[in-house]
Amino acid sequence: MDQAELLGHARTILDDKPRTRAGTLLVDGFWRGVWSRRAGQIHVEPFTPLSPAERDAVEPEAEMLRGFLGIRTG
């Protein structure tokens, strides 16, 4: 990925326009689903069911992503 592509992706993630954003859900380094930002929330959509331990591990990551994107909870 060259610098222009990287900046384009950063601009898509960091701007504040109310459109859907999506990203890759990695579990143990494998692409297992996608996440998206819709209506001020993070939605996680795995391709296949996650184990209870995997689901438990996703929530802290989603919380960090909420903080990075400035999404308020509660």
Side-chain angles (χ1 to χ4, degrees), residues 29-71:
F30 293 96
W31 187 24
R32 296 282 306 277
V34 295
W35 65 265
S36 59
R37 176 182 175 183
R38 296 187 306 253
Q41 299 294 319
I42 299 295
H43 297 271
V44 176
E45 300 175 42
F47 298 139
T48 58
L50 300 175
S51 73
E54 291 169 334
R55 283 194 310 271
D56 289 346
V58 166
E59 184 52 38
E61 296 294 326
E63 188 60 33
M64 286 192 298
L65 184 58
R66 286 181 194 104
F68 177 76
L69 293 174
I71 296 172

Side-chain angles (χ1 to χ4, degrees), residues 23 25 40:
L25 172 65

